[in-house]
Amino acid sequence: MKTKIAALAAMLLCSTLACAQTTPIKVGLMLPATGTYANLGEMIENGFKLYVAEQGGKLAGRDIQYFKVDDESDPAKATDNVNKLIKRDQVDVLVGTVHSGVALAMAKAARESNTLLIVPNAGADAITGAMCAKNVFRTSFTNWQPAYAMGVVAAKNGHKKAMTITWNYAAGNESAKGFVDGFEKGGGKVTQNLTLAFPNVEFQALLTEIAAQKPDAVYAFFAGGGAVKFVKDYAAAGLNKTIPLYGPGFLTDGTIDAQGAAAQGLTTTLHYADNLNTPRDNAFRLNFAKTYKTNADVYAVQGYDAAQLLESGLKAAGGDIKNRDKVIAGMASSQVDSPRGKFTLSAAHNPVQDIYLRQVKGNINEMKGIAIKALADPAKGCKM
Ligand code: PHB
């Protein structure tokens, strides 16, 4: 009887706004903790938690409770994994993930269950394109954005004939396509797209093919552990002496220490660099390094900004995550004060952002300039 009364009292209490404001916000982190992208997942989580910690452990006055799933960057397990967070844990908001194939399944599940989703990395164009939705946001990029910028720069550098090489999945293929768009617009021609299955790193046969065809330039999309191995193999084959290697910044972000000499001088394009030297970025990098004893990278920034974006929505709704329309409106209209530089979201909920030109020098991706200012993804097929 006593417990019944207690439950009833709790129910009564919980039907009031006061209760909604005291229970923690449930954040479901679906990220890779194993495999070639494990380090990227860790940086995103650390970035997110750093921002929350900087706000005293709360966002808009609300405590944050974390639920976690290791998605293993495995699309085959993605629907089951995301449902652990949506159905079992009943999270208020999903944050994930790194791998485009996994993120596409998350976006589908988020749409169907009307769960709020913030994508802190995966670039799958469709997430803020044909599959765009009111409840789906991204704080990272589309695969097209940095790739297109790299194509434009490679053409400007006078290259005429290029080859692309990547993993055969949404991110790799869309990245290669973005490069083709920019490069061919500038008068170049991409003669061949080489691929291998994700997350394989047996590059030898493909490097032999590149050596045989002798293009003017190579564009590669790899990230995490795969990027470390690719950049080292490219140099070991002697190709870095004769054929310039370009890529989206993932090729060298968070990987330079492991790549060592093989990465020196590589030119890439990305919405972040290691020496932006703004007060905002310097403060972020200092706190990140102090807290985690390692340097921040683009993944850490994207995770940090996912927490900032959520906070904007919560603030607009007076801390009430259940007031979905206000949360969404607050997020959609927010200007995120990112370490990368301030950005806004497009109508499709993807960052409109500067794409920096960077070059590896020592252990940093040094900013060389802005390749394209305020670049918005075309968001093909997005209707909201
Ligand atoms: C992706 O799968 O969309 C992806 C993965 C790793 C990156 C960038 C994009 O660094």
PDB file of all heavy atoms in Angstrom, residues 16-52:
ATOM      1  N   THR A  16       3.755  17.251 -13.517  1.00  0.00           N
ATOM      2  CA  THR A  16       3.969  18.701 -13.494  1.00  0.00           C
ATOM      3  C   THR A  16       5.294  19.047 -14.157  1.00  0.00           C
ATOM      4  O   THR A  16       6.171  18.203 -14.296  1.00  0.00           O
ATOM      5  CB  THR A  16       4.036  19.234 -12.045  1.00  0.00           C
ATOM      6  OG1 THR A  16       5.210  18.700 -11.454  1.00  0.00           O
ATOM      7  CG2 THR A  16       2.824  18.841 -11.244  1.00  0.00           C
ATOM      8  N   LEU A  17       5.416  20.272 -14.576  1.00  0.00           N
ATOM      9  CA  LEU A  17       6.633  20.728 -15.242  1.00  0.00           C
ATOM     10  C   LEU A  17       7.830  20.592 -14.303  1.00  0.00           C
ATOM     11  O   LEU A  17       8.909  20.189 -14.705  1.00  0.00           O
ATOM     12  CB  LEU A  17       6.468  22.188 -15.665  1.00  0.00           C
ATOM     13  CG  LEU A  17       7.556  22.718 -16.587  1.00  0.00           C
ATOM     14  CD1 LEU A  17       7.534  21.956 -17.911  1.00  0.00           C
ATOM     15  CD2 LEU A  17       7.362  24.201 -16.844  1.00  0.00           C
ATOM     16  N   ALA A  18       7.576  20.835 -13.009  1.00  0.00           N
ATOM     17  CA  ALA A  18       8.666  20.790 -12.032  1.00  0.00           C
ATOM     18  C   ALA A  18       9.385  19.455 -12.094  1.00  0.00           C
ATOM     19  O   ALA A  18      10.611  19.390 -12.039  1.00  0.00           O
ATOM     20  CB  ALA A  18       8.134  21.045 -10.637  1.00  0.00           C
ATOM     21  N   CYS A  19       8.606  18.356 -12.234  1.00  0.00           N
ATOM     22  CA  CYS A  19       9.237  17.047 -12.280  1.00  0.00           C
ATOM     23  C   CYS A  19      10.041  16.910 -13.567  1.00  0.00           C
ATOM     24  O   CYS A  19      11.180  16.455 -13.561  1.00  0.00           O
ATOM     25  CB  CYS A  19       8.214  15.935 -12.223  1.00  0.00           C
ATOM     26  SG  CYS A  19       8.980  14.326 -12.392  1.00  0.00           S
ATOM     27  N   ALA A  20       9.424  17.326 -14.686  1.00  0.00           N
ATOM     28  CA  ALA A  20      10.126  17.241 -15.971  1.00  0.00           C
ATOM     29  C   ALA A  20      11.469  17.955 -15.887  1.00  0.00           C
ATOM     30  O   ALA A  20      12.439  17.566 -16.511  1.00  0.00           O
ATOM     31  CB  ALA A  20       9.273  17.849 -17.063  1.00  0.00           C
ATOM     32  N   GLN A  21      11.508  18.995 -15.082  1.00  0.00           N
ATOM     33  CA  GLN A  21      12.736  19.796 -15.009  1.00  0.00           C
ATOM     34  C   GLN A  21      13.783  19.208 -14.073  1.00  0.00           C
ATOM     35  O   GLN A  21      14.905  19.663 -14.053  1.00  0.00           O
ATOM     36  CB  GLN A  21      12.427  21.229 -14.550  1.00  0.00           C
ATOM     37  CG  GLN A  21      11.403  21.941 -15.392  1.00  0.00           C
ATOM     38  CD  GLN A  21      11.867  22.253 -16.794  1.00  0.00           C
ATOM     39  OE1 GLN A  21      12.592  21.472 -17.390  1.00  0.00           O
ATOM     40  NE2 GLN A  21      11.469  23.374 -17.326  1.00  0.00           N
ATOM     41  N   THR A  22      13.394  18.229 -13.250  1.00  0.00           N
ATOM     42  CA  THR A  22      14.383  17.695 -12.307  1.00  0.00           C
ATOM     43  C   THR A  22      14.934  16.341 -12.730  1.00  0.00           C
ATOM     44  O   THR A  22      15.999  15.954 -12.283  1.00  0.00           O
ATOM     45  CB  THR A  22      13.797  17.585 -10.881  1.00  0.00           C
ATOM     46  OG1 THR A  22      12.581  16.847 -10.982  1.00  0.00           O
ATOM     47  CG2 THR A  22      13.539  18.937 -10.268  1.00  0.00           C
ATOM     48  N   THR A  23      14.195  15.619 -13.575  1.00  0.00           N
ATOM     49  CA  THR A  23      14.751  14.347 -14.046  1.00  0.00           C
ATOM     50  C   THR A  23      15.850  14.651 -15.060  1.00  0.00           C
ATOM     51  O   THR A  23      15.768  15.637 -15.777  1.00  0.00           O
ATOM     52  CB  THR A  23      13.663  13.479 -14.722  1.00  0.00           C
ATOM     53  OG1 THR A  23      13.065  14.270 -15.750  1.00  0.00           O
ATOM     54  CG2 THR A  23      12.615  13.024 -13.739  1.00  0.00           C
ATOM     55  N   PRO A  24      16.886  13.792 -15.110  1.00  0.00           N
ATOM     56  CA  PRO A  24      17.955  14.084 -16.066  1.00  0.00           C
ATOM     57  C   PRO A  24      17.526  13.877 -17.522  1.00  0.00           C
ATOM     58  O   PRO A  24      16.593  13.115 -17.784  1.00  0.00           O
ATOM     59  CB  PRO A  24      19.053  13.076 -15.696  1.00  0.00           C
ATOM     60  CG  PRO A  24      18.479  12.129 -14.729  1.00  0.00           C
ATOM     61  CD  PRO A  24      17.142  12.618 -14.292  1.00  0.00           C
ATOM     62  N   ILE A  25      18.195  14.569 -18.412  1.00  0.00           N
ATOM     63  CA  ILE A  25      18.002  14.342 -19.853  1.00  0.00           C
ATOM     64  C   ILE A  25      18.780  13.084 -20.198  1.00  0.00           C
ATOM     65  O   ILE A  25      19.968  12.967 -19.879  1.00  0.00           O
ATOM     66  CB  ILE A  25      18.590  15.514 -20.674  1.00  0.00           C
ATOM     67  CG1 ILE A  25      18.004  16.850 -20.225  1.00  0.00           C
ATOM     68  CG2 ILE A  25      18.448  15.258 -22.165  1.00  0.00           C
ATOM     69  CD1 ILE A  25      16.747  17.263 -20.850  1.00  0.00           C
ATOM     70  N   LYS A  26      18.114  12.149 -20.876  1.00  0.00           N
ATOM     71  CA  LYS A  26      18.784  10.894 -21.246  1.00  0.00           C
ATOM     72  C   LYS A  26      19.418  11.021 -22.624  1.00  0.00           C
ATOM     73  O   LYS A  26      18.706  11.171 -23.622  1.00  0.00           O
ATOM     74  CB  LYS A  26      17.767   9.768 -21.261  1.00  0.00           C
ATOM     75  CG  LYS A  26      17.215   9.412 -19.877  1.00  0.00           C
ATOM     76  CD  LYS A  26      16.056   8.452 -20.083  1.00  0.00           C
ATOM     77  CE  LYS A  26      15.947   7.422 -18.996  1.00  0.00           C
ATOM     78  NZ  LYS A  26      15.067   6.312 -19.411  1.00  0.00           N
ATOM     79  N   VAL A  27      20.734  10.978 -22.653  1.00  0.00           N
ATOM     80  CA  VAL A  27      21.477  11.105 -23.911  1.00  0.00           C
ATOM     81  C   VAL A  27      22.015   9.725 -24.303  1.00  0.00           C
ATOM     82  O   VAL A  27      22.758   9.106 -23.543  1.00  0.00           O
ATOM     83  CB  VAL A  27      22.655  12.096 -23.749  1.00  0.00           C
ATOM     84  CG1 VAL A  27      23.519  12.124 -25.005  1.00  0.00           C
ATOM     85  CG2 VAL A  27      22.130  13.495 -23.447  1.00  0.00           C
ATOM     86  N   GLY A  28      21.632   9.252 -25.465  1.00  0.00           N
ATOM     87  CA  GLY A  28      22.106   7.957 -25.956  1.00  0.00           C
ATOM     88  C   GLY A  28      23.277   8.135 -26.904  1.00  0.00           C
ATOM     89  O   GLY A  28      23.107   8.646 -28.000  1.00  0.00           O
ATOM     90  N   LEU A  29      24.452   7.731 -26.443  1.00  0.00           N
ATOM     91  CA  LEU A  29      25.652   7.854 -27.284  1.00  0.00           C
ATOM     92  C   LEU A  29      25.846   6.551 -28.055  1.00  0.00           C
ATOM     93  O   LEU A  29      26.130   5.516 -27.459  1.00  0.00           O
ATOM     94  CB  LEU A  29      26.891   8.112 -26.426  1.00  0.00           C
ATOM     95  CG  LEU A  29      26.931   9.405 -25.611  1.00  0.00           C
ATOM     96  CD1 LEU A  29      28.160   9.409 -24.700  1.00  0.00           C
ATOM     97  CD2 LEU A  29      26.961  10.619 -26.536  1.00  0.00           C
ATOM     98  N   MET A  30      25.672   6.620 -29.356  1.00  0.00           N
ATOM     99  CA  MET A  30      25.926   5.433 -30.183  1.00  0.00           C
ATOM    100  C   MET A  30      27.141   5.749 -31.045  1.00  0.00           C
ATOM    101  O   MET A  30      27.069   6.520 -32.000  1.00  0.00           O
ATOM    102  CB  MET A  30      24.702   5.114 -31.033  1.00  0.00           C
ATOM    103  CG  MET A  30      24.923   3.911 -31.918  1.00  0.00           C
ATOM    104  SD  MET A  30      23.375   3.070 -32.288  1.00  0.00           S
ATOM    105  CE  MET A  30      23.772   2.419 -33.915  1.00  0.00           C
ATOM    106  N   LEU A  31      28.271   5.179 -30.654  1.00  0.00           N
ATOM    107  CA  LEU A  31      29.558   5.492 -31.275  1.00  0.00           C
ATOM    108  C   LEU A  31      30.387   4.216 -31.371  1.00  0.00           C
ATOM    109  O   LEU A  31      30.126   3.253 -30.654  1.00  0.00           O
ATOM    110  CB  LEU A  31      30.306   6.533 -30.421  1.00  0.00           C
ATOM    111  CG  LEU A  31      29.651   7.919 -30.327  1.00  0.00           C
ATOM    112  CD1 LEU A  31      30.257   8.734 -29.189  1.00  0.00           C
ATOM    113  CD2 LEU A  31      29.794   8.667 -31.654  1.00  0.00           C
ATOM    114  N   PRO A  32      31.419   4.213 -32.227  1.00  0.00           N
ATOM    115  CA  PRO A  32      32.284   3.031 -32.264  1.00  0.00           C
ATOM    116  C   PRO A  32      33.282   3.046 -31.107  1.00  0.00           C
ATOM    117  O   PRO A  32      33.942   4.055 -30.875  1.00  0.00           O
ATOM    118  CB  PRO A  32      33.008   3.169 -33.602  1.00  0.00           C
ATOM    119  CG  PRO A  32      33.004   4.633 -33.888  1.00  0.00           C
ATOM    120  CD  PRO A  32      31.777   5.199 -33.253  1.00  0.00           C
ATOM    121  N   ALA A  33      33.370   1.953 -30.369  1.00  0.00           N
ATOM    122  CA  ALA A  33      34.370   1.836 -29.300  1.00  0.00           C
ATOM    123  C   ALA A  33      35.409   0.789 -29.689  1.00  0.00           C
ATOM    124  O   ALA A  33      36.389   0.582 -28.985  1.00  0.00           O
ATOM    125  CB  ALA A  33      33.694   1.457 -27.989  1.00  0.00           C
ATOM    126  N   THR A  34      35.151   0.110 -30.808  1.00  0.00           N
ATOM    127  CA  THR A  34      36.090  -0.897 -31.313  1.00  0.00           C
ATOM    128  C   THR A  34      36.233  -0.687 -32.823  1.00  0.00           C
ATOM    129  O   THR A  34      35.407  -0.027 -33.443  1.00  0.00           O
ATOM    130  CB  THR A  34      35.540  -2.320 -31.064  1.00  0.00           C
ATOM    131  OG1 THR A  34      34.180  -2.365 -31.525  1.00  0.00           O
ATOM    132  CG2 THR A  34      35.561  -2.684 -29.593  1.00  0.00           C
ATOM    133  N   GLY A  35      37.293  -1.257 -33.394  1.00  0.00           N
ATOM    134  CA  GLY A  35      37.486  -1.186 -34.847  1.00  0.00           C
ATOM    135  C   GLY A  35      38.251   0.038 -35.296  1.00  0.00           C
ATOM    136  O   GLY A  35      38.745   0.828 -34.475  1.00  0.00           O
ATOM    137  N   THR A  36      38.323   0.225 -36.602  1.00  0.00           N
ATOM    138  CA  THR A  36      39.185   1.247 -37.205  1.00  0.00           C
ATOM    139  C   THR A  36      38.777   2.671 -36.800  1.00  0.00           C
ATOM    140  O   THR A  36      39.595   3.592 -36.827  1.00  0.00           O
ATOM    141  CB  THR A  36      39.240   1.074 -38.741  1.00  0.00           C
ATOM    142  OG1 THR A  36      40.401   1.740 -39.255  1.00  0.00           O
ATOM    143  CG2 THR A  36      38.003   1.615 -39.445  1.00  0.00           C
ATOM    144  N   TYR A  37      37.506   2.872 -36.402  1.00  0.00           N
ATOM    145  CA  TYR A  37      37.019   4.199 -36.016  1.00  0.00           C
ATOM    146  C   TYR A  37      36.909   4.385 -34.498  1.00  0.00           C
ATOM    147  O   TYR A  37      36.307   5.364 -34.028  1.00  0.00           O
ATOM    148  CB  TYR A  37      35.650   4.469 -36.644  1.00  0.00           C
ATOM    149  CG  TYR A  37      35.654   4.705 -38.149  1.00  0.00           C
ATOM    150  CD1 TYR A  37      34.483   4.535 -38.899  1.00  0.00           C
ATOM    151  CD2 TYR A  37      36.804   5.107 -38.827  1.00  0.00           C
ATOM    152  CE1 TYR A  37      34.462   4.760 -40.277  1.00  0.00           C
ATOM    153  CE2 TYR A  37      36.787   5.317 -40.203  1.00  0.00           C
ATOM    154  CZ  TYR A  37      35.612   5.144 -40.923  1.00  0.00           C
ATOM    155  OH  TYR A  37      35.590   5.376 -42.275  1.00  0.00           O
ATOM    156  N   ALA A  38      37.462   3.452 -33.713  1.00  0.00           N
ATOM    157  CA  ALA A  38      37.300   3.511 -32.252  1.00  0.00           C
ATOM    158  C   ALA A  38      37.793   4.834 -31.670  1.00  0.00           C
ATOM    159  O   ALA A  38      37.133   5.450 -30.836  1.00  0.00           O
ATOM    160  CB  ALA A  38      38.033   2.341 -31.593  1.00  0.00           C
ATOM    161  N   ASN A  39      38.939   5.272 -32.134  1.00  0.00           N
ATOM    162  CA  ASN A  39      39.503   6.511 -31.598  1.00  0.00           C
ATOM    163  C   ASN A  39      38.614   7.727 -31.911  1.00  0.00           C
ATOM    164  O   ASN A  39      38.484   8.648 -31.101  1.00  0.00           O
ATOM    165  CB  ASN A  39      40.918   6.708 -32.150  1.00  0.00           C
ATOM    166  CG  ASN A  39      41.593   7.888 -31.508  1.00  0.00           C
ATOM    167  OD1 ASN A  39      41.779   8.924 -32.136  1.00  0.00           O
ATOM    168  ND2 ASN A  39      41.904   7.782 -30.232  1.00  0.00           N
ATOM    169  N   LEU A  40      37.983   7.689 -33.075  1.00  0.00           N
ATOM    170  CA  LEU A  40      37.110   8.802 -33.470  1.00  0.00           C
ATOM    171  C   LEU A  40      35.910   8.882 -32.522  1.00  0.00           C
ATOM    172  O   LEU A  40      35.488   9.964 -32.102  1.00  0.00           O
ATOM    173  CB  LEU A  40      36.627   8.610 -34.920  1.00  0.00           C
ATOM    174  CG  LEU A  40      37.625   8.863 -36.062  1.00  0.00           C
ATOM    175  CD1 LEU A  40      38.868   8.013 -35.957  1.00  0.00           C
ATOM    176  CD2 LEU A  40      36.979   8.668 -37.414  1.00  0.00           C
ATOM    177  N   GLY A  41      35.376   7.702 -32.199  1.00  0.00           N
ATOM    178  CA  GLY A  41      34.239   7.635 -31.277  1.00  0.00           C
ATOM    179  C   GLY A  41      34.597   8.193 -29.907  1.00  0.00           C
ATOM    180  O   GLY A  41      33.818   8.933 -29.296  1.00  0.00           O
ATOM    181  N   GLU A  42      35.786   7.848 -29.462  1.00  0.00           N
ATOM    182  CA  GLU A  42      36.229   8.318 -28.142  1.00  0.00           C
ATOM    183  C   GLU A  42      36.386   9.844 -28.133  1.00  0.00           C
ATOM    184  O   GLU A  42      35.998  10.520 -27.172  1.00  0.00           O
ATOM    185  CB  GLU A  42      37.558   7.648 -27.789  1.00  0.00           C
ATOM    186  CG  GLU A  42      38.001   7.919 -26.379  1.00  0.00           C
ATOM    187  CD  GLU A  42      39.346   7.280 -26.047  1.00  0.00           C
ATOM    188  OE1 GLU A  42      39.857   6.462 -26.840  1.00  0.00           O
ATOM    189  OE2 GLU A  42      39.897   7.641 -24.987  1.00  0.00           O
ATOM    190  N   MET A  43      36.924  10.386 -29.207  1.00  0.00           N
ATOM    191  CA  MET A  43      37.111  11.845 -29.273  1.00  0.00           C
ATOM    192  C   MET A  43      35.762  12.573 -29.282  1.00  0.00           C
ATOM    193  O   MET A  43      35.608  13.617 -28.646  1.00  0.00           O
ATOM    194  CB  MET A  43      37.920  12.224 -30.524  1.00  0.00           C
ATOM    195  CG  MET A  43      39.350  11.730 -30.497  1.00  0.00           C
ATOM    196  SD  MET A  43      40.351  12.353 -29.113  1.00  0.00           S
ATOM    197  CE  MET A  43      41.019  13.842 -29.817  1.00  0.00           C
ATOM    198  N   ILE A  44      34.796  12.014 -29.982  1.00  0.00           N
ATOM    199  CA  ILE A  44      33.457  12.630 -30.031  1.00  0.00           C
ATOM    200  C   ILE A  44      32.834  12.625 -28.628  1.00  0.00           C
ATOM    201  O   ILE A  44      32.315  13.640 -28.151  1.00  0.00           O
ATOM    202  CB  ILE A  44      32.548  11.878 -31.027  1.00  0.00           C
ATOM    203  CG1 ILE A  44      33.029  12.127 -32.463  1.00  0.00           C
ATOM    204  CG2 ILE A  44      31.076  12.283 -30.854  1.00  0.00           C
ATOM    205  CD1 ILE A  44      32.390  11.229 -33.509  1.00  0.00           C
ATOM    206  N   GLU A  45      32.905  11.478 -27.980  1.00  0.00           N
ATOM    207  CA  GLU A  45      32.334  11.366 -26.621  1.00  0.00           C
ATOM    208  C   GLU A  45      33.028  12.337 -25.667  1.00  0.00           C
ATOM    209  O   GLU A  45      32.372  13.042 -24.885  1.00  0.00           O
ATOM    210  CB  GLU A  45      32.484   9.922 -26.121  1.00  0.00           C
ATOM    211  CG  GLU A  45      31.952   9.757 -24.706  1.00  0.00           C
ATOM    212  CD  GLU A  45      31.935   8.304 -24.235  1.00  0.00           C
ATOM    213  OE1 GLU A  45      32.044   7.383 -25.074  1.00  0.00           O
ATOM    214  OE2 GLU A  45      31.822   8.111 -23.015  1.00  0.00           O
ATOM    215  N   ASN A  46      34.357  12.392 -25.755  1.00  0.00           N
ATOM    216  CA  ASN A  46      35.094  13.296 -24.869  1.00  0.00           C
ATOM    217  C   ASN A  46      34.747  14.754 -25.144  1.00  0.00           C
ATOM    218  O   ASN A  46      34.619  15.561 -24.221  1.00  0.00           O
ATOM    219  CB  ASN A  46      36.601  13.067 -25.019  1.00  0.00           C
ATOM    220  CG  ASN A  46      37.038  11.758 -24.371  1.00  0.00           C
ATOM    221  OD1 ASN A  46      36.286  11.153 -23.621  1.00  0.00           O
ATOM    222  ND2 ASN A  46      38.251  11.323 -24.668  1.00  0.00           N
ATOM    223  N   GLY A  47      34.577  15.093 -26.409  1.00  0.00           N
ATOM    224  CA  GLY A  47      34.205  16.465 -26.767  1.00  0.00           C
ATOM    225  C   GLY A  47      32.841  16.815 -26.194  1.00  0.00           C
ATOM    226  O   GLY A  47      32.652  17.879 -25.594  1.00  0.00           O
ATOM    227  N   PHE A  48      31.885  15.914 -26.363  1.00  0.00           N
ATOM    228  CA  PHE A  48      30.530  16.150 -25.860  1.00  0.00           C
ATOM    229  C   PHE A  48      30.566  16.355 -24.344  1.00  0.00           C
ATOM    230  O   PHE A  48      30.020  17.324 -23.812  1.00  0.00           O
ATOM    231  CB  PHE A  48      29.638  14.949 -26.212  1.00  0.00           C
ATOM    232  CG  PHE A  48      28.171  15.198 -25.979  1.00  0.00           C
ATOM    233  CD1 PHE A  48      27.338  15.532 -27.037  1.00  0.00           C
ATOM    234  CD2 PHE A  48      27.611  15.112 -24.704  1.00  0.00           C
ATOM    235  CE1 PHE A  48      25.978  15.763 -26.836  1.00  0.00           C
ATOM    236  CE2 PHE A  48      26.262  15.352 -24.488  1.00  0.00           C
ATOM    237  CZ  PHE A  48      25.443  15.682 -25.560  1.00  0.00           C
ATOM    238  N   LYS A  49      31.262  15.448 -23.673  1.00  0.00           N
ATOM    239  CA  LYS A  49      31.299  15.504 -22.203  1.00  0.00           C
ATOM    240  C   LYS A  49      32.075  16.712 -21.692  1.00  0.00           C
ATOM    241  O   LYS A  49      31.770  17.234 -20.616  1.00  0.00           O
ATOM    242  CB  LYS A  49      31.877  14.201 -21.649  1.00  0.00           C
ATOM    243  CG  LYS A  49      30.898  13.043 -21.850  1.00  0.00           C
ATOM    244  CD  LYS A  49      31.388  11.753 -21.251  1.00  0.00           C
ATOM    245  CE  LYS A  49      30.260  10.727 -21.233  1.00  0.00           C
ATOM    246  NZ  LYS A  49      30.742   9.374 -20.898  1.00  0.00           N
ATOM    247  N   LEU A  50      33.043  17.155 -22.464  1.00  0.00           N
ATOM    248  CA  LEU A  50      33.801  18.351 -22.048  1.00  0.00           C
ATOM    249  C   LEU A  50      32.884  19.568 -22.006  1.00  0.00           C
ATOM    250  O   LEU A  50      32.898  20.344 -21.054  1.00  0.00           O
ATOM    251  CB  LEU A  50      34.979  18.615 -23.000  1.00  0.00           C
ATOM    252  CG  LEU A  50      35.838  19.808 -22.611  1.00  0.00           C
ATOM    253  CD1 LEU A  50      36.600  19.523 -21.314  1.00  0.00           C
ATOM    254  CD2 LEU A  50      36.832  20.172 -23.707  1.00  0.00           C
ATOM    255  N   TYR A  51      32.057  19.708 -23.055  1.00  0.00           N
ATOM    256  CA  TYR A  51      31.163  20.874 -23.066  1.00  0.00           C
ATOM    257  C   TYR A  51      30.190  20.815 -21.888  1.00  0.00           C
ATOM    258  O   TYR A  51      29.966  21.821 -21.198  1.00  0.00           O
ATOM    259  CB  TYR A  51      30.389  20.997 -24.389  1.00  0.00           C
ATOM    260  CG  TYR A  51      29.583  22.274 -24.400  1.00  0.00           C
ATOM    261  CD1 TYR A  51      30.208  23.509 -24.611  1.00  0.00           C
ATOM    262  CD2 TYR A  51      28.228  22.276 -24.102  1.00  0.00           C
ATOM    263  CE1 TYR A  51      29.500  24.700 -24.546  1.00  0.00           C
ATOM    264  CE2 TYR A  51      27.506  23.467 -24.041  1.00  0.00           C
ATOM    265  CZ  TYR A  51      28.149  24.675 -24.261  1.00  0.00           C
ATOM    266  OH  TYR A  51      27.455  25.850 -24.190  1.00  0.00           O
ATOM    267  N   VAL A  52      29.652  19.639 -21.639  1.00  0.00           N
ATOM    268  CA  VAL A  52      28.718  19.486 -20.517  1.00  0.00           C
ATOM    269  C   VAL A  52      29.435  19.812 -19.198  1.00  0.00           C
ATOM    270  O   VAL A  52      28.904  20.539 -18.352  1.00  0.00           O
ATOM    271  CB  VAL A  52      28.108  18.067 -20.495  1.00  0.00           C
ATOM    272  CG1 VAL A  52      27.251  17.863 -19.254  1.00  0.00           C
ATOM    273  CG2 VAL A  52      27.273  17.828 -21.756  1.00  0.00           C
TER     274      VAL A  52
END
